[in-house]
mmCIF file of all heavy atoms in Angstrom:
data_model
loop_
_atom_site.group_PDB
_atom_site.id
_atom_site.type_symbol
_atom_site.label_atom_id
_atom_site.label_comp_id
_atom_site.label_asym_id
_atom_site.label_seq_id
_atom_site.Cartn_x
_atom_site.Cartn_y
_atom_site.Cartn_z
ATOM 1 N N ASP A 315 -35.950 20.923 16.836
ATOM 2 C CA ASP A 315 -37.251 21.163 17.469
ATOM 3 C C ASP A 315 -37.227 22.370 18.400
ATOM 4 O O ASP A 315 -38.268 22.955 18.704
ATOM 5 C CB ASP A 315 -37.701 19.920 18.243
ATOM 6 C CG ASP A 315 -38.105 18.770 17.326
ATOM 7 O OD1 ASP A 315 -38.382 19.046 16.133
ATOM 8 O OD2 ASP A 315 -38.130 17.619 17.788
ATOM 9 N N LYS A 316 -36.037 22.737 18.850
ATOM 10 C CA LYS A 316 -35.900 23.868 19.778
ATOM 11 C C LYS A 316 -35.607 25.184 19.056
ATOM 12 O O LYS A 316 -35.414 26.214 19.697
ATOM 13 C CB LYS A 316 -34.772 23.569 20.773
ATOM 14 C CG LYS A 316 -34.968 22.281 21.565
ATOM 15 C CD LYS A 316 -33.754 21.981 22.435
ATOM 16 C CE LYS A 316 -33.914 20.653 23.161
ATOM 17 N NZ LYS A 316 -32.716 20.324 23.983
ATOM 18 N N ILE A 317 -35.566 25.149 17.706
ATOM 19 C CA ILE A 317 -35.169 26.321 16.927
ATOM 20 C C ILE A 317 -36.316 26.756 16.024
ATOM 21 O O ILE A 317 -36.956 25.936 15.367
ATOM 22 C CB ILE A 317 -33.920 26.014 16.075
ATOM 23 C CG1 ILE A 317 -32.761 25.569 16.962
ATOM 24 C CG2 ILE A 317 -33.521 27.222 15.239
ATOM 25 C CD1 ILE A 317 -31.555 25.092 16.191
ATOM 26 N N ASP A 318 -36.569 28.063 15.949
ATOM 27 C CA ASP A 318 -37.572 28.632 15.048
ATOM 28 C C ASP A 318 -36.878 29.287 13.859
ATOM 29 O O ASP A 318 -35.688 29.590 13.886
ATOM 30 C CB ASP A 318 -38.419 29.675 15.784
ATOM 31 C CG ASP A 318 -39.243 29.061 16.909
ATOM 32 O OD1 ASP A 318 -39.717 27.926 16.707
ATOM 33 O OD2 ASP A 318 -39.388 29.708 17.962
ATOM 34 N N GLY A 319 -37.665 29.524 12.811
ATOM 35 C CA GLY A 319 -37.155 30.281 11.670
ATOM 36 C C GLY A 319 -36.270 29.494 10.741
ATOM 37 O O GLY A 319 -35.320 30.046 10.176
ATOM 38 N N THR A 320 -36.556 28.200 10.546
ATOM 39 C CA THR A 320 -35.719 27.368 9.683
ATOM 40 C C THR A 320 -36.415 27.050 8.365
ATOM 41 O O THR A 320 -37.634 27.081 8.264
ATOM 42 C CB THR A 320 -35.355 26.045 10.381
ATOM 43 O OG1 THR A 320 -36.543 25.278 10.587
ATOM 44 C CG2 THR A 320 -34.664 26.300 11.702
ATOM 45 N N PHE A 321 -35.623 26.762 7.341
ATOM 46 C CA PHE A 321 -36.149 26.203 6.091
ATOM 47 C C PHE A 321 -35.159 25.165 5.594
ATOM 48 O O PHE A 321 -33.971 25.185 5.945
ATOM 49 C CB PHE A 321 -36.381 27.291 5.032
ATOM 50 C CG PHE A 321 -35.133 27.931 4.495
ATOM 51 C CD1 PHE A 321 -34.504 27.432 3.347
ATOM 52 C CD2 PHE A 321 -34.574 29.040 5.123
ATOM 53 C CE1 PHE A 321 -33.357 28.032 2.845
ATOM 54 C CE2 PHE A 321 -33.426 29.640 4.628
ATOM 55 C CZ PHE A 321 -32.815 29.142 3.488
ATOM 56 N N ARG A 322 -35.638 24.244 4.782
ATOM 57 C CA ARG A 322 -34.812 23.132 4.326
ATOM 58 C C ARG A 322 -34.048 23.486 3.063
ATOM 59 O O ARG A 322 -34.555 24.160 2.164
ATOM 60 C CB ARG A 322 -35.673 21.892 4.070
ATOM 61 C CG ARG A 322 -36.192 21.249 5.340
ATOM 62 C CD ARG A 322 -36.852 19.928 5.052
ATOM 63 N NE ARG A 322 -35.921 18.980 4.435
ATOM 64 C CZ ARG A 322 -36.214 17.711 4.197
ATOM 65 N NH1 ARG A 322 -37.400 17.245 4.513
ATOM 66 N NH2 ARG A 322 -35.325 16.917 3.621
ATOM 67 N N PHE A 323 -32.827 23.015 2.991
ATOM 68 C CA PHE A 323 -31.997 23.205 1.809
ATOM 69 C C PHE A 323 -32.665 22.603 0.578
ATOM 70 O O PHE A 323 -32.520 23.110 -0.540
ATOM 71 C CB PHE A 323 -30.631 22.560 2.055
ATOM 72 C CG PHE A 323 -29.618 22.808 0.976
ATOM 73 C CD1 PHE A 323 -29.168 24.089 0.699
ATOM 74 C CD2 PHE A 323 -29.100 21.755 0.236
ATOM 75 C CE1 PHE A 323 -28.234 24.322 -0.286
ATOM 76 C CE2 PHE A 323 -28.164 21.972 -0.747
ATOM 77 C CZ PHE A 323 -27.725 23.262 -1.020
ATOM 78 N N ASP A 324 -33.420 21.535 0.780
ATOM 79 C CA ASP A 324 -34.126 20.891 -0.324
ATOM 80 C C ASP A 324 -35.102 21.865 -0.990
ATOM 81 O O ASP A 324 -35.244 21.866 -2.220
ATOM 82 C CB ASP A 324 -34.871 19.657 0.193
ATOM 83 C CG ASP A 324 -35.540 18.873 -0.926
ATOM 84 O OD1 ASP A 324 -34.855 18.562 -1.915
ATOM 85 O OD2 ASP A 324 -36.740 18.599 -0.818
ATOM 86 N N ASP A 325 -35.796 22.709 -0.193
ATOM 87 C CA ASP A 325 -36.713 23.703 -0.771
ATOM 88 C C ASP A 325 -35.939 24.721 -1.609
ATOM 89 O O ASP A 325 -36.412 25.175 -2.655
ATOM 90 C CB ASP A 325 -37.487 24.411 0.340
ATOM 91 C CG ASP A 325 -38.444 23.478 1.066
ATOM 92 O OD1 ASP A 325 -39.004 22.587 0.396
ATOM 93 O OD2 ASP A 325 -38.611 23.632 2.285
ATOM 94 N N PHE A 326 -34.776 25.100 -1.128
ATOM 95 C CA PHE A 326 -33.931 26.022 -1.874
ATOM 96 C C PHE A 326 -33.491 25.402 -3.202
ATOM 97 O O PHE A 326 -33.507 26.054 -4.248
ATOM 98 C CB PHE A 326 -32.710 26.396 -1.023
ATOM 99 C CG PHE A 326 -31.627 27.094 -1.782
ATOM 100 C CD1 PHE A 326 -31.749 28.425 -2.152
ATOM 101 C CD2 PHE A 326 -30.468 26.404 -2.137
ATOM 102 C CE1 PHE A 326 -30.731 29.062 -2.860
ATOM 103 C CE2 PHE A 326 -29.458 27.032 -2.835
ATOM 104 C CZ PHE A 326 -29.587 28.366 -3.205
ATOM 105 N N LEU A 327 -33.087 24.118 -3.184
ATOM 106 C CA LEU A 327 -32.657 23.453 -4.415
ATOM 107 C C LEU A 327 -33.795 23.357 -5.417
ATOM 108 O O LEU A 327 -33.583 23.488 -6.631
ATOM 109 C CB LEU A 327 -32.105 22.061 -4.095
ATOM 110 C CG LEU A 327 -30.770 22.004 -3.345
ATOM 111 C CD1 LEU A 327 -30.402 20.560 -3.034
ATOM 112 C CD2 LEU A 327 -29.660 22.676 -4.130
ATOM 113 N N LYS A 328 -35.018 23.117 -4.925
ATOM 114 C CA LYS A 328 -36.174 23.058 -5.826
ATOM 115 C C LYS A 328 -36.414 24.408 -6.484
ATOM 116 O O LYS A 328 -36.750 24.488 -7.671
ATOM 117 C CB LYS A 328 -37.409 22.604 -5.050
ATOM 118 C CG LYS A 328 -37.371 21.142 -4.643
ATOM 119 C CD LYS A 328 -38.563 20.769 -3.776
ATOM 120 C CE LYS A 328 -38.483 19.309 -3.345
ATOM 121 N NZ LYS A 328 -39.597 18.948 -2.412
ATOM 122 N N LEU A 329 -36.257 25.475 -5.716
ATOM 123 C CA LEU A 329 -36.388 26.816 -6.277
ATOM 124 C C LEU A 329 -35.309 27.049 -7.320
ATOM 125 O O LEU A 329 -35.556 27.624 -8.392
ATOM 126 C CB LEU A 329 -36.280 27.859 -5.166
ATOM 127 C CG LEU A 329 -36.263 29.334 -5.615
ATOM 128 C CD1 LEU A 329 -37.556 29.678 -6.346
ATOM 129 C CD2 LEU A 329 -36.056 30.243 -4.423
ATOM 130 N N LEU A 330 -34.099 26.590 -7.044
ATOM 131 C CA LEU A 330 -32.996 26.751 -7.979
ATOM 132 C C LEU A 330 -33.283 26.006 -9.280
ATOM 133 O O LEU A 330 -32.999 26.511 -10.373
ATOM 134 C CB LEU A 330 -31.709 26.236 -7.337
ATOM 135 C CG LEU A 330 -30.389 26.781 -7.888
ATOM 136 C CD1 LEU A 330 -30.307 28.283 -7.698
ATOM 137 C CD2 LEU A 330 -29.223 26.098 -7.192
ATOM 138 N N ASP A 331 -33.836 24.803 -9.166
ATOM 139 C CA ASP A 331 -34.214 24.053 -10.365
ATOM 140 C C ASP A 331 -35.249 24.808 -11.177
ATOM 141 O O ASP A 331 -35.213 24.827 -12.411
ATOM 142 C CB ASP A 331 -34.765 22.676 -9.970
ATOM 143 C CG ASP A 331 -33.678 21.708 -9.561
ATOM 144 O OD1 ASP A 331 -32.503 21.974 -9.888
ATOM 145 O OD2 ASP A 331 -34.000 20.692 -8.918
ATOM 146 N N GLU A 332 -36.200 25.445 -10.489
ATOM 147 C CA GLU A 332 -37.228 26.221 -11.169
ATOM 148 C C GLU A 332 -36.621 27.393 -11.916
ATOM 149 O O GLU A 332 -36.995 27.700 -13.057
ATOM 150 C CB GLU A 332 -38.258 26.722 -10.143
ATOM 151 C CG GLU A 332 -39.419 27.485 -10.745
ATOM 152 C CD GLU A 332 -40.367 27.993 -9.674
ATOM 153 O OE1 GLU A 332 -40.374 27.413 -8.562
ATOM 154 O OE2 GLU A 332 -41.079 28.967 -9.957
ATOM 155 N N VAL A 333 -35.654 28.045 -11.289
ATOM 156 C CA VAL A 333 -34.974 29.172 -11.925
ATOM 157 C C VAL A 333 -34.213 28.691 -13.155
ATOM 158 O O VAL A 333 -34.272 29.310 -14.226
ATOM 159 C CB VAL A 333 -34.013 29.848 -10.929
ATOM 160 C CG1 VAL A 333 -33.157 30.891 -11.634
ATOM 161 C CG2 VAL A 333 -34.791 30.481 -9.789
ATOM 162 N N ASN A 334 -33.510 27.589 -13.019
ATOM 163 C CA ASN A 334 -32.721 27.075 -14.140
ATOM 164 C C ASN A 334 -33.605 26.665 -15.309
ATOM 165 O O ASN A 334 -33.221 26.789 -16.474
ATOM 166 C CB ASN A 334 -31.886 25.875 -13.692
ATOM 167 C CG ASN A 334 -30.724 26.273 -12.798
ATOM 168 O OD1 ASN A 334 -30.224 27.384 -12.901
ATOM 169 N ND2 ASN A 334 -30.317 25.370 -11.921
ATOM 170 N N THR A 335 -34.804 26.177 -15.002
ATOM 171 C CA THR A 335 -35.732 25.775 -16.051
ATOM 172 C C THR A 335 -36.294 26.981 -16.791
ATOM 173 O O THR A 335 -36.481 26.960 -18.010
ATOM 174 C CB THR A 335 -36.893 24.958 -15.454
ATOM 175 O OG1 THR A 335 -36.358 23.810 -14.797
ATOM 176 C CG2 THR A 335 -37.865 24.504 -16.535
ATOM 177 N N SER A 336 -36.541 28.059 -16.053
ATOM 178 C CA SER A 336 -37.205 29.230 -16.644
ATOM 179 C C SER A 336 -36.255 30.220 -17.286
ATOM 180 O O SER A 336 -36.648 31.003 -18.141
ATOM 181 C CB SER A 336 -38.019 29.947 -15.560
ATOM 182 O OG SER A 336 -37.167 30.417 -14.532
ATOM 183 N N LYS A 337 -34.961 30.230 -16.953
ATOM 184 C CA LYS A 337 -34.055 31.264 -17.477
ATOM 185 C C LYS A 337 -33.617 30.939 -18.892
ATOM 186 O O LYS A 337 -33.540 29.778 -19.295
ATOM 187 C CB LYS A 337 -32.833 31.416 -16.562
ATOM 188 C CG LYS A 337 -31.770 30.332 -16.668
ATOM 189 C CD LYS A 337 -30.676 30.577 -15.669
ATOM 190 C CE LYS A 337 -29.567 29.530 -15.858
ATOM 191 N NZ LYS A 337 -28.352 30.131 -16.297
ATOM 192 N N SER A 338 -33.359 31.969 -19.662
ATOM 193 C CA SER A 338 -32.909 31.811 -21.038
ATOM 194 C C SER A 338 -31.412 31.567 -21.077
ATOM 195 O O SER A 338 -30.714 31.737 -20.085
ATOM 196 C CB SER A 338 -33.246 33.071 -21.850
ATOM 197 O OG SER A 338 -32.569 34.200 -21.308
ATOM 198 N N ASP A 339 -30.931 31.180 -22.262
ATOM 199 C CA ASP A 339 -29.516 30.825 -22.396
ATOM 200 C C ASP A 339 -28.585 31.988 -22.090
ATOM 201 O O ASP A 339 -27.448 31.798 -21.661
ATOM 202 C CB ASP A 339 -29.229 30.315 -23.812
ATOM 203 C CG ASP A 339 -29.909 28.986 -24.060
ATOM 204 O OD1 ASP A 339 -30.240 28.306 -23.073
ATOM 205 O OD2 ASP A 339 -30.109 28.645 -25.245
ATOM 206 N N ASP A 340 -29.072 33.242 -22.330
ATOM 207 C CA ASP A 340 -28.184 34.370 -22.117
ATOM 208 C C ASP A 340 -28.253 34.936 -20.711
ATOM 209 O O ASP A 340 -27.629 35.949 -20.410
ATOM 210 C CB ASP A 340 -28.483 35.484 -23.134
ATOM 211 C CG ASP A 340 -29.929 35.978 -23.038
ATOM 212 O OD1 ASP A 340 -30.720 35.340 -22.314
ATOM 213 O OD2 ASP A 340 -30.245 36.992 -23.706
ATOM 214 N N ASP A 341 -29.047 34.314 -19.837
ATOM 215 C CA ASP A 341 -29.083 34.764 -18.443
ATOM 216 C C ASP A 341 -27.752 34.440 -17.781
ATOM 217 O O ASP A 341 -27.248 33.327 -17.880
ATOM 218 C CB ASP A 341 -30.201 34.057 -17.664
ATOM 219 C CG ASP A 341 -31.560 34.670 -17.941
ATOM 220 O OD1 ASP A 341 -31.579 35.812 -18.434
ATOM 221 O OD2 ASP A 341 -32.566 34.005 -17.675
ATOM 222 N N SER A 342 -27.207 35.409 -17.092
ATOM 223 C CA SER A 342 -25.943 35.194 -16.386
ATOM 224 C C SER A 342 -26.202 34.651 -14.993
ATOM 225 O O SER A 342 -27.324 34.699 -14.498
ATOM 226 C CB SER A 342 -25.177 36.521 -16.277
ATOM 227 O OG SER A 342 -25.908 37.429 -15.459
ATOM 228 N N ASP A 343 -25.121 34.146 -14.378
ATOM 229 C CA ASP A 343 -25.249 33.698 -12.997
ATOM 230 C C ASP A 343 -25.667 34.851 -12.100
ATOM 231 O O ASP A 343 -26.404 34.662 -11.122
ATOM 232 C CB ASP A 343 -23.917 33.115 -12.503
ATOM 233 C CG ASP A 343 -23.692 31.714 -13.016
ATOM 234 O OD1 ASP A 343 -24.668 31.111 -13.484
ATOM 235 O OD2 ASP A 343 -22.542 31.248 -12.940
ATOM 236 N N GLN A 344 -25.212 36.074 -12.444
ATOM 237 C CA GLN A 344 -25.575 37.239 -11.628
ATOM 238 C C GLN A 344 -27.076 37.475 -11.675
ATOM 239 O O GLN A 344 -27.720 37.719 -10.651
ATOM 240 C CB GLN A 344 -24.824 38.473 -12.155
ATOM 241 C CG GLN A 344 -25.041 39.743 -11.330
ATOM 242 C CD GLN A 344 -24.360 39.667 -9.973
ATOM 243 O OE1 GLN A 344 -23.492 38.827 -9.764
ATOM 244 N NE2 GLN A 344 -24.783 40.506 -9.050
ATOM 245 N N ASN A 345 -27.673 37.385 -12.881
ATOM 246 C CA ASN A 345 -29.120 37.548 -12.995
ATOM 247 C C ASN A 345 -29.856 36.426 -12.269
ATOM 248 O O ASN A 345 -30.916 36.625 -11.687
ATOM 249 C CB ASN A 345 -29.536 37.580 -14.461
ATOM 250 C CG ASN A 345 -29.120 38.868 -15.155
ATOM 251 O OD1 ASN A 345 -28.973 39.896 -14.488
ATOM 252 N ND2 ASN A 345 -28.931 38.812 -16.475
#
Side-chain angles (χ1 to χ4, degrees):
D315 289 341
K316 303 175 183 178
I317 302 173
D318 295 323
T320 65
F321 68 92
R322 288 189 60 173
F323 186 64
D324 185 51
D325 293 325
F326 167 75
L327 290 177
K328 289 175 182 176
L329 174 61
L330 203 62
D331 284 343
E332 183 182 337
V333 172
N334 288 332
T335 301
S336 62
K337 76 183 184 114
S338 62
D339 292 339
D340 59 351
D341 281 342
S342 65
D343 282 344
Q344 184 70 17
N345 288 334

